[in-house]
Amino acid sequence: MGILSYFRQKKHSSASVAKERLQVLVAYERSQRSQPDYLPQMQQEILAVIAKYVDVSPQDVEVKLDEDCSILELNVTLPEKQ
Amino acid sequence: MAEIIVVTSGKGGVGKTTSSAAIGTGLALRGFKTALIDFDVGLRNLDLIMGCERRVVYDFVNVINQEATLNQALIKDKRSENLFILPASQTRDKDALSVEGVEAVLNELAKTFDYIVCDSPAGIEKGAQLALYFADTAIVVTNPEVSSVRDSDRILGVLQSKSRRAEQGGSVKEHLLLTRYNPDRVQAGEMLSVEDVNDILAIPLLGVIPESEAVLKASNQGVPVILDNASDAGQAYDDAIARFLGEERAHRFLDAQRKGFLSRVFGRKG
């Protein structure tokens, strides 16, 4: 193990996997944290209204809130016309 | 005016109470009048780690409910005349602590103490939020392990949004205390390094406490590990206290122990 592990260096060590996973997760959770509490519910309600008229799935809606200015951006991908 | 320190982590079992006991004792040893408060209502343990479990008569909730005075409830430490412990209540009532009640006790303590160390319960619910709400400074105890680092980041979010200082537009001073660190495993790539954790949490590093047999030995005996001068963990806590008080001290116990030539070649575990 000694010599071999010396050459099998850190790149794929479990610690570096842990660090990569944490960096992704923590960045995501921090972005969620800066959102106002009402955002998820508002997203759902807006989606319910749109779904009344258009056939969309929850995955087709993206809500972004700009941090500094209070601009709400709502993107809905409508299904292609058949 | 006292400085209020919260020892917190989000995750349980990472060493909050061990660290609170060591930090409180360390500050008292340096001449500061220090109060150690156990906020873990229902799961009191600081008394056991401090070795004063048989001297508990009144507790934090008794003081809040005015069933006892603060002086009646405070337990004077046997080893340091500057150190006092306020034990948690063993009640199962989750709402035993209130913001107003905690504030009244902290205000009274602040009149005569230099430092108030709040040992937080695990989690991010009411108990943990109350423990950190009035804090001036937070010591975030983290293990070099994924769930602990994630939970520490969450508790940092709580500190930055739900503490009194945050509500008033200020901020709580944050320190990272990395505990149960095993340099051999870090070198082998099996454990997050202090740099890795620092990269992710990005708060100032107060100290690194090595994984140590001395910690269990100390808790078995009810003696804060910082009093075990000969142990690596005791010395690491002493360094952390010195840094907390503004001294410059190099970090120790970060490097793997050197192995002999034979054990390196054959990879025998040290």
Side-chain angles (χ1 to χ4, degrees), chain B residues 69-90:
Chain B
T69 66
L70 191 53
N71 279 334
Q72 284 175 313
L74 283 173
I75 303 171
K76 192 172 188 297
D77 188 68
K78 283 174 288 187
R79 307 168 201 97
S80 165
E81 61 176 40
N82 296 318
L83 185 60
F84 294 81
I85 298 121
L86 184 57
S89 164
Q90 284 292 51

Side-chain angles (χ1 to χ4, degrees), chain B residues 19-41:
Chain B
S19 297
S20 299
I23 290 162
T25 305
L27 289 169
L29 285 177
R30 283 164 188 263
F32 296 104
K33 195 172 177 199
T34 305
L36 259 174
I37 308 182
D38 190 348
F39 271 77
D40 205 345
V41 171

Side-chain angles (χ1 to χ4, degrees), chain A residues 9-49:
Chain A
Q9 266 300 339
K10 287 189 176 168
K11 228 359 185 184
H12 298 291
S13 70
S14 63
S16 62
V17 174
K19 187 181 181 184
E20 280 176 34
R21 291 173 63 214
L22 272 171
Q23 279 173 323
V24 173
L25 182 68
V26 165
Y28 172 74
E29 289 186 339
R30 280 182 193 164
S31 71
Q32 295 283 301
R33 205 187 289 158
S34 56
Q35 289 181 352
D37 295 338
Y38 60 75
L39 208 62
Q41 202 194 342
M42 189 176 71
Q43 189 172 351
Q44 275 181 6
E45 286 175 17
I46 292 173
L47 185 68
V49 172

Side-chain angles (χ1 to χ4, degrees), chain A residues 1-3 10 13-15 18-19 22-23 25-26 29-30 33, chain B residues 146 149-150 153 157 187 189-192 196 199-200 264-265 267:
Chain A
M1 212 184 100
I3 289 175
K10 287 189 176 168
S13 70
S14 63
K19 187 181 181 184
L22 272 171
Q23 279 173 323
L25 182 68
V26 165
E29 289 186 339
R30 280 182 193 164
R33 205 187 289 158
Chain B
V146 284
V149 176
R150 178 197 209 172
D153 193 66
Q187 197 184 44
E190 297 170 355
M191 182 181 266
L192 290 166
D196 292 338
D199 281 352
I200 293 162
R264 244 187 299 165
V265 170

